[in-house]
Amino acid sequence: MKSFFLFFHLNLSFSSIAESDKKKIIKKCYWKILEIIEKNSIPISLEMSGYTLSEIYKLDKKWIGKFKSLAKRKLTSLIGSGFCQIIGPLCPYEINNYNIKFGNKIYKNILGIKPKIFHINEQCFSKSLVDIIANNDFKSIIMEFENPYEHNKQIKFKDKFLNHRVKGIKKNLNLIWNSSANFQKFQKYIYGKEILTNYLNDIKKFDGKINCIYGSDAEVFDFRPKRNFQDEKIKNLEWERIKDLLNTLSKYHKFQLIDHIVANKNLKTQSIIDLSSSTMPCPTKKQDKYNLNRWALSSHQNYILNTKCYNFYNFLKKNKKLNNKNNWKKLVYFFSSDFRTNIEIQREKKLNKEILNFEKKLKIKKKIKKTEKKNENFYKNKINKKNDCTISRKYDSIIINYKNIKLSLNILRFLSLNYYQDDKISKYPLIGTLRQGFFQKSLNYDLYSFHLITEFFDNKFTDISYVAEPKIYKNEDSVIIRGEIVNKKLNFSKKIILDLKNKSIEVINEIDFFKFSPTLIRAPIITFNPKAFDVNSLGYSVKNGGEKAENFHIKDNFSFGSRVSNIVSSTTSVGFNDGILRVYDKSKEMILMSNHQDGYSLPLLEFKKIEDSFLLRASLSMRENDDTSRNDKYKKFKNHVKIKFKKLK
């Protein structure tokens, strides 16, 4: 006899739910679950955030009492998920840690329960989260199978039916597999889009002794959160169909609570499994359209919302008087994933008002821009007496030489980078443009660096189509080159700073769209010179929600910025919590730094083996597109990137 378990995800912060719908959801959805549990003696676990539990407690204390009663009878159990549903890999360590602690406190205060199983929020995983969850006394996590399986060659299909421990950075936890394929089949049958015979035949094909038949939203039965283009009529019979289906299955199969399955000592635990890989560092749920960029860069206000959240985060860390639990709790709330997708209009207005009030409470002042002083003697190409930096200008290029540093910018391609070389690190240029012909068969075209690409629904804009008329400044410690493009659609400014003292390059992009906001903004794009890097030891390092960075060895082809469909513009990204990405080989590393306070962006990496060489690129994205996107009222974007190379011992 096979054993089944199921759990429902309760979320009163669901993005497209109006405040006025909360009581209706409790009545039409949450009470129905408890009725099925009690009247049919079918054990079902419930997962809810501390925020959702608090809202239920405010609106319907009788539901809380019934849940506690059923929990004492071992007919239901609580699965934890923190105070709010947040995207862990995208949040700094302190936010993730506070989220779990605040959630646990609410569970204890309202239910007297401290859950031991943690549901990964939105099923967005990183190895760093395992350590944080373990350090907060959880013993197991729930994570979806299909997405890690799709992108990780080490995971086999048979693993879906086995017990594993999941690998963190330092710690490991029990792994409970959820399945989007299973819960989508369940939903199809309940919606009347599949016949019972076909569904039962699918159940028979389950290879494992224990399977999760449903692990998703409760609010999608006999109620539909409002979506675009939705005209589906609800017959209010779906919970009856769920009850009948579970009763049918219980005649031939055994239902258990997840807690009992995890506690079963007779179940043999298989090997430790690593869900992350260089091709998919932060696996998520369902199909590839549900990737990190959905909550980071896609929806219409994500850029400004994430920029503000990181502004608050850095402000709280620096100001001891304001560094208190109430302010951190409010910031965790602002990081909620449901504010970053199809948020209902009135809730969005309320959120924006709350953010404005929080900004006033913290007394955050806007930065005043500093102006550069122009050096009138620049074009004379004289050597600065205070350093030995030489600057020359040819027809198509600006060339800067300073000790072991060489940098060249292409004027005809709007200050794209021809090359950057540091003789102390490599005899070859480290980054720059790979000219057409560098790759003979594949990618036989110019591959630029430091350029901008934007896309609209009907066309594309890139700055390399323009000739730069650069304004150039220099002082004792740096050389500054600035170009500007103004046309009917936008005002674009690019500033490149060569810091002579720190031997770093800064690229500042500012773009203001006059009419329509684009569906995609990527700048700067950086192309690595394969002659300067050892392909066998290539890797990258980045923080994905934890205290320490995660390291990934690059060996398989991937492209984070590849389209999933005509609507979804990218496949995945990385957390980039502290704004630092390291790309390295055995002898050197590039350190890319970006301050989220100046403008939120995430790196998109690409790697492809080409004959006896390879292509490696990194780009900073400020905007991506998916089904949550809509015409954006916010049309100003900025990022500030610093690049530095370092020799490794």
Side-chain angles (χ1 to χ4, degrees):
M1 178 183 288
K2 293 178 181 177
S3 290
F4 293 151
F5 68 91
L6 73 159
F7 66 92
F8 287 98
H9 168 56
L10 278 53
N11 182 16
L12 285 180
S13 188
F14 205 115
S15 58
S16 48
I17 287 176
E19 292 284 338
S20 58
D21 284 335
K22 289 181 178 180
K23 284 187 177 181
K24 187 189 299 183
I25 291 168
I26 296 171
K27 181 181 178 180
K28 296 186 69 173
C29 302
Y30 300 173
W31 269 110
K32 295 294 183 182
I33 302 171
L34 299 189
E35 288 171 9
I36 291 172
I37 294 171
E38 184 171 38
K39 293 179 181 180
N40 300 273
S41 297
I42 295 175
I44 300 173
S45 298
L46 299 182
E47 177 266 310
M48 65 191 101
S49 68
Y51 175 83
T52 289
L53 180 60
S54 299
E55 291 297 291
I56 298 173
Y57 184 73
K58 290 177 189 175
L59 299 170
D60 193 340
K61 290 183 174 60
K62 288 184 178 179
W63 190 96
I64 298 292
K66 179 60 70 174
F67 175 84
K68 291 170 72 173
S69 173
L70 293 173
K72 286 181 181 178
R73 293 164 57 188
K74 308 296 183 185
L75 286 173
T76 189
S77 63
L78 175 68
I79 300 168
S81 55
F83 168 52
C84 291
Q85 183 171 258
I86 64 175
I87 306 303
L90 294 175
C91 297
Y93 164 76
E94 292 87 349
I95 296 296
N96 282 311
N97 196 40
Y98 274 126
N99 186 46
I100 297 175
K101 290 186 183 301
F102 293 149
N104 284 346
K105 187 175 181 180
I106 293 171
Y107 298 142
K108 188 70 175 176
N109 289 344
I110 295 177
L111 298 176
I113 295 173
K114 189 175 182 181
K116 293 297 181 184
I117 299 172
F118 191 91
H119 182 265
I120 299 293
N121 293 172
E122 296 284 13
Q123 301 288 261
C124 291
F125 174 88
S126 74
K127 285 190 284 191
S128 295
L129 296 181
V130 175
D131 291 62
I132 299 170
I133 294 165
N135 289 336
N136 281 281
D137 298 327
F138 284 89
K139 303 300 180 185
S140 307
I141 65 164
I142 298 174
M143 179 60 195
E144 204 168 289
F145 175 80
E146 278 75 15
N147 197 274
Y149 170 63
E150 178 72 22
H151 295 281
N152 193 332
K153 293 180 180 179
Q154 294 179 345
I155 300 175
K156 309 300 179 185
F157 186 72
K158 66 179 182 179
D159 291 332
K160 182 177 181 180
F161 308 103
L162 299 175
N163 302 303
H164 292 94
R165 286 182 67 78
V166 63
K167 184 178 182 181
I169 296 178
K170 291 184 177 180
K171 297 191 175 184
N172 307 317
L173 286 170
N174 293 323
L175 173 61
I176 302 165
W177 285 121
N178 189 10
S179 170
S180 59
N182 288 5
F183 76 64
Q184 286 170 337
K185 289 177 181 178
F186 184 97
Q187 287 176 343
K188 287 176 187 176
Y189 171 71
I190 300 305
Y191 293 160
K193 296 178 180 179
E194 183 63 274
I195 62 173
L196 181 60
T197 302
N198 288 345
Y199 180 75
L200 294 178
N201 284 336
D202 286 335
I203 292 286
K204 290 178 182 178
K205 295 176 184 178
F206 288 173
D207 291 338
K209 292 182 178 180
I210 299 174
N211 292 276
C212 179
I213 63 168
Y214 190 79
S216 192
D217 303 323
E219 300 84 8
V220 296
F221 301 117
D222 285 347
F223 180 89
R224 297 287 190 278
K226 294 178 182 178
R227 299 281 194 184
N228 292 335
F229 312 113
Q230 182 206 299
D231 57 357
E232 187 176 4
K233 293 183 179 179
I234 303 169
K235 298 178 181 179
N236 292 325
L237 296 172
E238 290 166 351
W239 286 106
E240 283 296 312
R241 286 174 67 85
I242 291 172
K243 181 194 71 175
D244 292 342
L245 175 61
L246 297 181
N247 280 330
T248 298
L249 292 175
S250 65
K251 294 177 182 178
Y252 309 101
H253 307 286
K254 183 180 180 181
F255 280 93
Q256 297 185 60
L257 288 179
I258 302 178
D259 308 63
H260 297 166
I261 294 168
V262 174
N264 190 340
K265 295 180 181 179
N266 295 324
L267 290 177
K268 184 178 179 182
T269 301
Q270 303 299 316
S271 59
I272 297 171
I273 195 165
D274 188 349
L275 301 186
S276 300
S277 62
S278 62
T279 59
M280 183 59 70
C282 300
T284 57
K285 62 182 180 181
K286 301 180 186 178
Q287 299 83 18
D288 284 344
K289 75 173 186 177
Y290 293 96
N291 62 68
L292 287 185
N293 293 329
R294 182 179 185 84
W295 298 276
L297 303 166
S298 294
S299 190
H300 74 290
Q301 70 164 5
N302 282 355
Y303 167 83
I304 188 63
L305 181 54
N306 288 324
T307 299
K308 283 185 177 294
C309 280
Y310 269 93
N311 203 336
F312 294 151
Y313 166 72
N314 286 303
F315 194 82
L316 290 181
K317 286 191 72 177
K318 292 177 182 177
N319 291 269
K320 293 182 179 180
K321 290 182 180 180
L322 296 169
N323 190 340
N324 57 65
K325 289 185 178 181
N326 287 336
N327 285 337
W328 281 108
K329 191 173 184 179
K330 193 67 175 179
L331 183 52
V332 169
Y333 170 76
F334 289 148
F335 268 105
S336 296
S337 63
D338 291 293
F339 296 147
R340 289 161 166 77
T341 49
N342 298 296
I343 186 169
E344 192 263 342
I345 294 174
Q346 295 304 318
R347 286 182 59 200
E348 182 178 32
K349 290 180 180 178
K350 180 184 175 183
L351 170 67
N352 291 336
K353 187 175 181 180
E354 287 180 292
I355 288 174
L356 183 61
N357 290 337
F358 194 65
E359 203 167 38
K360 290 178 180 178
K361 177 184 175 182
L362 299 185
K363 298 180 180 179
I364 297 176
K365 296 180 180 178
K366 293 183 179 180
K367 293 182 179 179
I368 300 172
K369 290 184 179 181
K370 294 181 179 179
T371 58
E372 301 99 6
K373 292 182 180 179
K374 185 174 180 180
N375 189 322
E376 299 293 342
N377 295 322
F378 168 74
Y379 292 110
K380 297 179 181 179
N381 295 323
K382 290 185 176 181
I383 297 174
N384 190 322
K385 294 180 180 180
K386 295 184 178 180
N387 59 50
D388 55 357
C389 173
T390 62
I391 308 169
S392 59
R393 177 172 175 173
K394 294 184 178 180
Y395 170 70
D396 65 341
S397 298
I398 296 169
I399 301 167
I400 304 170
N401 285 279
Y402 176 68
K403 295 182 179 178
N404 51 292
I405 302 295
K406 301 171 186 174
L407 181 144
S408 174
L409 299 172
N410 189 334
I411 297 172
L412 300 181
R413 294 297 186 183
F414 200 74
L415 304 179
S416 66
L417 180 70
N418 289 325
Y419 59 81
Y420 174 81
Q421 185 169 347
D422 186 336
D423 292 333
K424 289 186 177 180
I425 294 175
S426 174
K427 63 180 180 180
Y428 299 107
L430 295 159
I431 54 175
T433 298
L434 300 181
R435 301 290 180 190
Q436 186 174 20
F438 187 94
F439 298 116
Q440 294 299 322
K441 289 185 177 180
S442 180
L443 303 175
N444 192 6
Y445 48 83
D446 292 324
L447 294 157
Y448 295 98
S449 284
F450 287 8
H451 57 303
L452 164 86
I453 292 177
T454 68
E455 291 183 5
F456 300 83
F457 285 112
D458 57 348
N459 57 35
K460 181 178 180 178
F461 169 81
T462 178
D463 62 339
I464 55 175
S465 300
Y466 290 77
V467 175
E469 297 179 3
K471 295 180 180 179
I472 307 170
Y473 315 86
K474 68 176 180 179
N475 55 38
E476 184 178 345
D477 297 322
S478 60
V479 177
I480 302 167
I481 306 101
R482 186 178 183 275
E484 187 174 22
I485 297 170
V486 180
N487 58 31
K488 293 180 180 180
K489 289 186 176 181
L490 55 85
N491 184 344
F492 173 59
S493 168
K494 180 195 292 183
K495 188 189 299 181
I496 297 172
I497 303 170
L498 178 61
D499 187 326
L500 305 175
K501 185 177 180 181
N502 296 304
K503 295 183 179 179
S504 65
I505 317 166
E506 295 179 51
V507 185
I508 303 170
N509 293 290
E510 294 186 68
I511 189 163
D512 186 0
F513 299 94
F514 299 148
K515 292 184 178 180
F516 303 105
S517 189
T519 58
L520 180 152
I521 310 171
R522 296 175 186 170
I525 299 169
I526 301 162
T527 305
F528 292 79
N529 182 5
K531 292 183 178 180
F533 289 85
D534 172 49
V535 67
N536 295 316
S537 58
L538 276 179
Y540 65 88
S541 173
V542 67
K543 283 189 178 181
N544 290 318
E547 287 186 287
K548 295 184 178 180
E550 299 177 20
N551 293 289
F552 298 92
H553 175 54
I554 298 174
K555 52 183 178 180
D556 298 314
N557 294 347
F558 64 87
S559 177
F560 294 170
S562 292
R563 284 193 170 274
V564 176
S565 68
N566 290 335
I567 296 174
V568 183
S569 60
S570 54
T571 305
T572 191
S573 187
V574 288
F576 202 46
N577 315 135
D578 59 352
I580 298 175
L581 169 73
R582 299 175 189 269
V583 179
Y584 56 83
D585 68 4
K586 62 184 178 182
S587 63
K588 70 190 76 65
E589 69 175 355
M590 179 199 77
I591 307 169
L592 183 152
M593 294 162 279
S594 179
N595 190 340
H596 291 320
Q597 289 177 268
D598 292 332
Y600 186 77
S601 58
L602 290 185
L604 304 180
L605 289 163
E606 177 184 7
F607 174 78
K608 184 177 182 180
K609 291 180 180 177
I610 304 172
E611 296 177 329
D612 58 348
S613 187
F614 64 90
L615 174 70
L616 178 61
R617 302 185 100 184
S619 60
L620 268 290
S621 177
M622 290 174 270
R623 182 72 190 267
E624 296 294 320
N625 193 70
D626 71 3
D627 59 290
T628 68
S629 304
R630 62 181 188 258
N631 187 26
D632 197 345
K633 296 178 182 178
Y634 193 83
K635 299 180 176 66
K636 293 184 179 182
F637 296 84
K638 177 184 177 181
N639 67 2
H640 185 164
V641 179
K642 181 181 287 187
I643 300 164
K644 190 171 184 177
F645 287 88
K646 181 180 176 182
K647 195 167 186 177
L648 301 176
K649 294 181 181 179

